Amino acid sequence: MPEPVVDLCVIGAGAAGLAAGIFAAEHNPAIRVELLDGAKSVGAKILVSGGGRCNVTHDVVTPDDFFGTRHLVRNVLAAFSVRETVEWFASLGVELKCEETGKLFPVTDKARTVLTALLTRARELGVVLRPGHRVSAITRLDTSNNVIGTDQSSRFVIRHREGETLARRVVLATGGRSLPRTGSDGSGYGLARALGHRVTPTVPALVALVLDDRCFHERLSGLSHEVEVETVVEGRSVDRRTGSLLWTHFGISGPVVMDASRFWSLARERGAKVEVCGNFLPGKTVDQAREWFLGRAADAPRRSLVKLVAEVVPERCAEAICLHVGADSQQACGQVPRALRDRLLAALTRFPFPVVRDRGWNFAEVTAGGVPLEEINFRTMESKVVPGLYLVGEVLDCDGRIGGFNFQWAWATGRVAGRAA
Ligand code: FDA
């Protein structure tokens, strides 16, 4: 007896896969949709997201918030705006609230609300969810050789832990490699590759950076303040951004570091020389910083050096930087020798963070790299390599900055594919 053929088999029931399944079943109630997931209980990543609150999206989403082929990203985002996302969640019974930062969360402040709503809607629509079905291979059938009985339209055989599923169309929604214990262990890249897709190198993104033990980060653990972070690869500045930096016991974190981390990881992956520098006077050059210093020192020459530096960074950090450049923090700022002052100003405007590594996949929020967007038709998310195969979410080579953008990518790609597949 041949297996019943599934019209649409979604592999991976994370954010993008659930969206694809729901939109497909809503768009065409007559089709049979199945979601296979390797994890025993699905949605683990949604549950841990946003510190357990799930930052569903952002009030303003533009292609500038993403790293990926710009015009393709723009087209996909345009197909499902933030307003439509908010309305869609409202239709699922999830009201969203916008915080000062522009991030949108469920009013319940519980990620569980989001996951439950998605699973409930999928169930209402008759979408079959099969947890514990880790997929190990997808084979595209040559429809001319009639391999599976008389049904000429069955194009794929999906091999998984419980046997095989036959499907007319497949959505690959296996995510990336971040937080592998949730089930997203990168196996989707192998599945895509076996079907003929390319996969660009994958590295952890939105991840904290570990500093050399000799740096002073441990003493500042828990402290956060605004810093301009610049990433320089082989002598060329590739990224510069300002935001909140958090010192931790292992190194540096916080939104500005998380956003910058992909550049460090990508450069390291290809063996390039990379530096991450901090400007504690965001936007100021060393000459402007000197002007500021001299002006303040002239106003109050007997003020201690640490008090002056503490005008721009928290006092604990000021103390650590003074010590780092070999200055006596209690010294009167009007009496600091020129060479020492220059060393201090250089450290304040271009502090070389001694990064030894990123914190790795267990701590990264997303993956940079994946299946190139050029291999996908952005109007449908269908593969240009394998007709009938659709790719959505993090498995694609597109990652967003911190703030709800990665979920927006998951919902938008899921919707486009779900309606088309
Ligand atoms: P996702 O990884 O969610 O799902 C993939 C699914 O495929 C998993 O269920 C996995 O088990 C399954 N799978 C993988 N391989 C398989 C196989 N071979 N066979 C069967 N199933 C397989 N983003 C954001 O916008 N706001 C936020 O607040 C956060 N917060 C956050 C916190 C933390 C700690 C992390 C790790 C990540 C975030 N993110 C985030 C990022 C966001 O969670 C992420 O971008 C999306 O979940 C990606 O959705 P996908 O559906 O593409 O992959």
Side-chain angles (χ1 to χ4, degrees):
M1 236 339 234
E3 293 284 326
V5 177
V6 169
D7 294 297
L8 183 65
C9 180
V10 181
I11 304 174
L18 282 166
I22 291 170
F23 281 114
E26 273 177 357
H27 191 63
N28 190 349
I31 64 170
R32 183 183 164 95
V33 182
E34 285 199 6
L35 262 79
L36 310 181
D37 200 292
K40 283 210 176 71
S41 61
V42 300
K45 204 175 273 184
I46 294 177
L47 291 180
V48 298
S49 68
R53 295 199 300 141
C54 188
N55 176 194
V56 173
T57 185
H58 201 93
D59 64 345
V60 182
V61 175
T62 74
D64 290 341
D65 300 310
F66 295 83
F67 305 99
T69 312
R70 197 184 159 82
H71 70 282
L72 301 175
V73 172
R74 189 183 53 234
N75 279 297
V76 172
L77 295 175
F80 197 41
S81 67
V82 173
R83 191 180 50 78
E84 287 170 302
T85 304
V86 172
E87 284 169 7
W88 180 53
F89 274 99
S91 77
L92 301 179
V94 182
E95 296 299 331
L96 300 177
K97 58 170 176 179
C98 184
E99 300 201 335
E100 257 174 39
T101 52
K103 297 177 181 179
L104 273 80
F105 292 91
V107 290
T108 57
D109 276 330
K110 288 189 172 66
R112 173 74 66 186
T113 311
V114 174
L115 179 60
T116 304
L118 292 166
L119 293 175
T120 304
R121 183 67 183 138
R123 205 176 311 117
E124 281 167 6
L125 291 162
V127 173
V128 178
L129 179 62
R130 300 195 188 282
H133 280 55
R134 187 186 151 87
V135 172
S136 54
I138 307 170
T139 311
R140 183 159 193 282
L141 297 173
D142 176 358
T143 48
S144 62
N145 65 10
N146 199 16
V147 177
I148 47 171
T150 53
D151 193 334
Q152 297 282 319
S153 62
S154 311
R155 288 181 176 165
F156 298 94
V157 179
I158 297 137
R159 193 166 314 129
H160 48 71
R161 210 176 277 152
E162 302 299 318
E164 283 182 350
T165 296
L166 309 178
R168 293 193 168 88
R169 293 177 298 285
V170 169
V171 175
L172 194 64
T174 40
R177 294 184 198 279
S178 57
L179 210 59
R181 67 184 157 83
T182 59
S184 318
D185 57 3
S187 61
Y189 299 123
L191 298 173
R193 239 188 234 113
L195 286 162
H197 274 286
R198 288 185 302 129
V199 177
T200 62
T202 51
V203 297
L206 297 188
V207 65
L209 298 173
V210 178
L211 300 185
D212 189 310
D213 278 351
R214 284 166 297 183
C215 191
F216 48 74
H217 52 275
E218 221 175 323
R219 265 179 289 150
L220 303 186
S221 185
L223 197 66
S224 71
H225 53 102
E226 192 161 279
V227 179
E228 181 182 294
V229 171
E230 185 180 15
T231 310
V232 180
V233 179
E234 300 291 353
R236 199 172 65 85
S237 175
V238 295
D239 183 62
R240 188 197 293 262
R241 56 185 69 239
T242 300
S244 178
L245 175 143
L246 171 70
W247 298 94
T248 73
H249 64 283
F250 58 78
I252 45 175
S253 185
V256 71
V257 173
M258 306 272 278
D259 281 337
S261 63
R262 69 186 304 286
F263 297 98
W264 189 90
S265 307
L266 279 168
R268 263 301 159 93
E269 201 278 334
R270 61 183 173 89
K273 185 174 177 305
V274 51
E275 295 163 279
V276 179
C277 300
N279 184 348
F280 298 107
L281 287 91
K284 278 202 167 58
T285 62
V286 69
D287 289 338
Q288 290 166 331
R290 187 176 300 110
E291 235 172 75
W292 158 78
F293 185 99
L294 292 174
R296 306 301 287 152
D299 290 346
R302 281 191 292 181
R303 202 149 66 119
S304 68
L305 191 56
V306 70
K307 289 285 182 219
L308 191 154
V309 177
E311 280 187 17
V312 290
V313 289
E315 192 155 335
R316 263 201 297 155
C317 181
E319 188 77 53
I321 293 175
C322 289
L323 202 69
H324 182 76
V325 297
D328 169 3
S329 62
Q330 295 311 314
Q331 183 173 10
C333 63
Q335 287 171 11
V336 176
R338 179 192 248 183
L340 185 59
R341 185 192 68 213
D342 286 350
R343 267 208 315 275
L344 176 68
L345 292 174
L348 279 173
T349 52
R350 204 174 167 74
F351 183 82
F353 291 112
V355 180
V356 285
R357 60 183 174 84
D358 60 54
R359 272 202 111 196
W361 294 114
N362 288 334
F363 295 92
E365 291 201 2
V366 287
T367 307
V371 176
L373 294 182
E374 288 75 7
E375 296 185 0
I376 309 298
N377 176 347
F378 68 81
R379 287 190 183 82
T380 57
M381 302 314 290
E382 187 172 11
S383 160
K384 290 180 182 170
V385 179
V386 187
L389 174 73
Y390 298 74
L391 293 97
V392 296
E394 202 175 311
V395 73
L396 292 164
D397 185 2
C398 174
D399 51 298
R401 65 182 184 90
I402 208 158
F405 302 99
N406 288 293
F407 274 141
Q408 184 61 34
W409 177 251
W411 315 132
T413 52
R415 180 177 194 258
V416 173
R419 290 172 68 89

